[in-house]
Amino acid sequence: MEKSDLLKRFCSRLVAIERRGVLTMDCYRLEIRRFLDFLEAENKNLDEADASLLSVYIAMRRTTDKIDSRSTAKAVSALRSFFRFAMDEGLTDDNPAVVLESPKRRVSLPEVMDKKTIEVLLDTVDTSNPVGCRDRCLFEMIYSAGLRVSEAAGLNIRDIDLEGGVAKVKGKGNKERLALFGPEAALRLRQYLEESRPKLAGKVSRNQPFMKNQALFIGRNGKRLSRKGIWKNYAKNAALAGTSSRLHTLRHSFATGLLEGGADLRTVQELLGHADLATTQIYTHVDVGVLRENHRRYLPRLNAPD
């Protein structure tokens, strides 16, 4: 089977049988393409790949490509999935990837920004033009609703309820949830939809009938704004605001702000779209300062000098 056909069939299985999301499928496809190139370089056929050879491949990825433990775990997962597919297709007799050890991921605390820094960042966006108005609205939505960049990019006009402050979001694994956004985000959305988006759409909207499922955030060409485009625009504005934070930091800051305000973990889990509560619990370790202040306020006797 040709490499391209093999990858197409593998990706079809990921979506149809393993129910993987598009982003996971893209990640696995790239990883397996690298692995197949590695086999060619080693003059090995797929059915000759054993656990020892896979270990060599993973070691090469870590030393040559400098991938971290998280990326290594993804590579191992991709190989396990691929060899399950290869067995079902009759291309191999077993799955050598099952013996590979997936490295333990280092639990790192998410980076967050305080409200003042976020305000400075948002105010840095030049809203005197349609692109700036779109970006201000976009970043406001990501922060206000705690969206992933892929979720924001995937929004359609029909997904937004301006009056109710609700957005229907498609998250990881194509799971849908309702995300809430505040009045400032609603105001920016209304301005964008009424003034800026029609200008960005240009001839596209004039030559085609209005459709409620149109992409919400678009570029000058009238097409849906890509994740890379969003990241690039954010990085530019973050640099102007004097911060090196990543776009995902807005989502982290959203979650941390909710917990600091007294929201329970289950509520935050639902709003973030986390499948596992353990994923949400990392935010409880972010702000030690808040814990110290509550400890001092509610247990003053323990803080009194001898």
Side-chain angles (χ1 to χ4, degrees), residues 79-142:
L79 288 169
R80 288 173 180 167
S81 182
F82 176 70
F83 276 98
R84 283 196 299 269
F85 156 77
M87 287 178 64
D88 290 345
E89 292 286 322
L91 301 174
T92 60
D93 295 328
D94 59 4
N95 186 344
V98 295
V99 300
L100 293 177
E101 287 191 11
S102 187
K104 292 182 179 180
R105 296 184 183 180
R106 255 179 42 192
V107 179
S108 56
L109 298 181
E111 177 192 4
V112 296
M113 290 187 286
D114 56 47
K115 291 181 180 179
K116 185 176 180 181
T117 303
I118 293 174
E119 289 174 1
V120 170
L121 171 64
L122 294 175
D123 288 340
T124 301
V125 182
D126 181 9
T127 57
S128 63
N129 58 80
V131 170
C133 288
R134 177 204 64 199
D135 288 344
R136 175 64 190 262
C137 171
L138 174 58
F139 302 151
E140 197 80 57
M141 274 294 293
I142 290 174

Side-chain angles (χ1 to χ4, degrees), residues 197-300:
R197 191 184 182 284
K199 294 178 181 177
L200 290 172
K203 294 180 180 180
V204 176
S205 60
R206 288 199 295 270
N207 294 338
Q208 296 180 3
F210 180 77
M211 296 175 61
K212 286 189 175 181
N213 64 341
Q214 288 176 313
L216 178 60
F217 295 111
I218 60 175
R220 289 188 179 92
N221 58 3
K223 295 181 180 180
R224 186 183 300 275
L225 197 61
S226 68
R227 290 180 296 131
K228 288 184 178 180
I230 296 173
W231 283 324
K232 181 179 178 181
N233 293 340
Y234 176 83
K236 178 184 68 176
N237 286 285
L240 291 174
T243 176
S244 59
S245 67
R246 298 179 302 143
L247 179 56
H248 205 64
T249 305
L250 292 177
R251 176 171 156 90
H252 292 323
S253 302
F254 161 84
T256 305
L258 284 175
L259 289 170
E260 288 179 5
D264 62 273
L265 271 176
R266 286 291 181 187
T267 298
V268 178
Q269 178 190 10
E270 287 295 322
L271 291 174
L272 289 173
H274 285 161
D276 190 348
L277 184 62
T279 308
T280 314
Q281 286 178 327
I282 191 171
Y283 293 105
T284 62
H285 305 295
V286 172
D287 200 333
V288 179
V290 173
L291 294 177
R292 287 201 183 103
E293 174 59 24
N294 287 337
H295 185 273
R296 182 197 62 78
R297 181 181 301 174
Y298 298 116
L299 294 171

